[in-house]
Amino acid sequence: MTTIDWQKEVDSRKSDLMEDLKTLIRIDSVKDMENATEEFPVGKGPAMALHKALEFGERDGFVTKNIENMAGHIEYGEGDETFGILGHVDVVPVGDGWNTDPFEPTIIDGKLYARGSSDDKGPMMAAYYALKIIKELELPVSKKVRFIIGTDEESGWACMDRYMANETMPDFGFSPDAMFPIINGEKGIASYTLEFNNDASEGDVTLNTFTAGIASNMVPGDATVEMTTGLNTDEMKAALESYVAENGVRADFTANGETVTIKLYGKQCHAQTPTDGVNAATHLANFLSAYKFDGQGQAYIQATAKFLHADPQGNLTGVAHKDDIMGELTSSANIFRYTKEGDKTISINIRYPKGTDSAKIAEQMQAVIVDAKVIVEAGVKEPHYTSKEDPMVKTFLETYEKYTGLEGFEQTIGGGTYGRLFERGCAFGALFPGRENVMHQANEYMVEEDIYRAAVIYADSIYQLIK
């Protein structure tokens, strides 16, 4: 039996892989529902990125299919079983703080900087090239392989709803959209909207607007409030300066007559690990909680400060829960929309292990936050777990160990990957241990060499599972 030098095969295709990846990254594929149409259900950008990925597949001789500009697949081989690979071409909004153009891939000190470089265009293209190598080597396979591409992974998964309504899912598979050595457990994911009532009573300060957050799965990196007050604004500014100094955040303060505007800056991060960031919105509310607002503003500010600030496990809202295998629940308030005459809402993203459920969490929260109505948002994802004894999981871990010399072990995350869509599914790479996790952050990057390392591991392990 011929031994395949997977490292050599990847090395000979490095420049092609990088060129294709850069081409894909240059497409701004942020979900754009404001400009969505029947032709482009989640916006033109994600659809154009899907077209480009499928174009790669057609160029390389695969069978491809586009499902209504929402999802698509690239197929190879034949067999009674189908092995699946699930990636996505959509990316989270850019946000502030970039040092380079987020859609012009730039390599600095061996790091590829761009939105989507690590989540998920870089890992997805590493997995695609792994399959491309297997095809080009004309290796015998006993299973069909279906590489599925989504356009709405970052918010809602409508792409996979559409895909599964039209196509049969593979029997087992993985998503290259997390970290090594493996993710075989994923917490449940649910978002909750708090709707606050109108209250005309007055206070020392009138809350006009309070806004923060750009996505339900991102801790807000900045928050802005506009308010009207007859209080001494110099004293308020001094109090803010003391607060930011004590709490390691920063803020801008502007007073124009009785109108005061404050913008507070924290640190944006992925909601699955809220402690990696600094929630600007809850910090701003915590500072403002020292003042007496008008009735509706008071309820909004106090609820945020009392129940949502500095509480990543949900103890203050009564939803805390822990499972021995899957770990602790996490809670993060990520979208704040308040206008004096309009909506007054907060969206809370919760990642929960087995042993609780979305309805129970809503009941627990409602019992505590009495000034708002708690609504479970659509798109709840239940916890998912594939045993570490599963042959696929074993193959992935053994291959990982072979190329890294590191011990493979099972992990559960709070993030949601497409791996949970397979009955036997997991996420496998491509963030290596010891690397900084900058997914969903400004200046997102992936170490260039890690893209190629991942492609080697993917090629070897995929072939073992389909040969």
Side-chain angles (χ1 to χ4, degrees), residues 210-448:
F210 189 107
T211 59
I214 56 177
S216 63
N217 59 356
M218 297 171 71
V219 172
D222 60 74
T224 304
V225 63
E226 182 191 279
M227 49 198 176
T228 304
T229 181
L231 297 176
N232 187 310
T233 56
D234 288 337
E235 292 180 358
M236 184 178 286
K237 182 179 180 181
L240 178 64
E241 290 172 350
S242 295
Y243 182 88
V244 298
E246 292 172 4
N247 290 276
V249 294
R250 62 187 182 90
D252 299 326
F253 183 96
T254 304
N256 184 5
E258 292 189 342
T259 300
V260 173
T261 302
I262 298 173
K263 185 170 185 178
L264 189 144
Y265 303 89
K267 181 184 177 184
Q268 186 182 92
C269 73
H270 197 299
Q272 68 171 298
T273 50
T275 53
D276 287 348
V278 177
N279 194 313
T282 66
H283 262 293
L284 182 54
N286 194 46
F287 165 72
L288 295 173
S289 66
Y291 300 93
K292 183 180 179 182
F293 281 82
D294 59 296
Q296 54 195 17
Q298 183 78 354
Y300 194 86
I301 294 299
Q302 292 298 329
T304 302
K306 185 176 180 180
F307 301 119
L308 304 177
H309 179 61
D311 184 36
Q313 277 78 48
N315 290 295
L316 298 177
T317 50
V319 303
H321 176 71
K322 183 176 181 180
D323 175 77
D324 290 341
I325 294 176
M326 301 189 77
E328 288 186 309
L329 173 151
T330 61
S331 175
S332 177
N334 297 331
I335 299 179
F336 293 74
R337 297 290 185 265
Y338 181 103
T339 58
K340 184 180 177 182
E341 305 299 336
D343 293 339
K344 300 162 183 65
T345 62
I346 300 172
S347 180
I348 304 171
N349 188 257
I350 291 180
R351 315 291 171 114
Y352 59 96
K354 51 191 176 71
T356 188
D357 58 60
S358 58
K360 180 179 179 181
I361 290 169
E363 292 173 3
Q364 292 169 324
M365 201 182 308
Q366 188 67 80
V368 173
I369 306 178
V370 296
D371 288 329
K373 181 180 179 181
V374 179
I375 301 168
V376 184
E377 297 177 15
V380 173
K381 298 176 180 65
E382 298 300 333
H384 171 80
Y385 179 73
T386 300
S387 171
K388 64 181 179 180
E389 301 303 320
D390 183 278
M392 176 184 64
V393 173
K394 284 187 173 181
T395 297
F396 284 149
L397 290 177
E398 289 167 1
T399 309
Y400 167 80
E401 291 177 345
K402 172 182 174 182
Y403 288 99
T404 65
L406 301 173
E407 179 185 0
F409 53 88
E410 67 174 335
Q411 294 182 96
T412 291
I413 60 167
T417 77
Y418 281 154
R420 68 169 65 227
L421 295 177
F422 302 108
E423 186 173 340
R424 293 173 53 213
C426 62
F428 185 46
L431 184 69
F432 285 90
R435 297 300 195 196
E436 182 183 20
N437 186 346
V438 288
M439 300 179 196
H440 293 209
Q441 297 182 33
N443 300 311
E444 175 187 347
Y445 71 86
M446 187 166 181
V447 175
E448 182 183 4

Side-chain angles (χ1 to χ4, degrees), residues 142-153:
S142 64
K143 298 176 180 65
K144 178 182 287 186
V145 183
R146 182 175 286 181
F147 198 120
I148 304 171
I149 302 157
T151 61
D152 183 33
E153 192 272 350

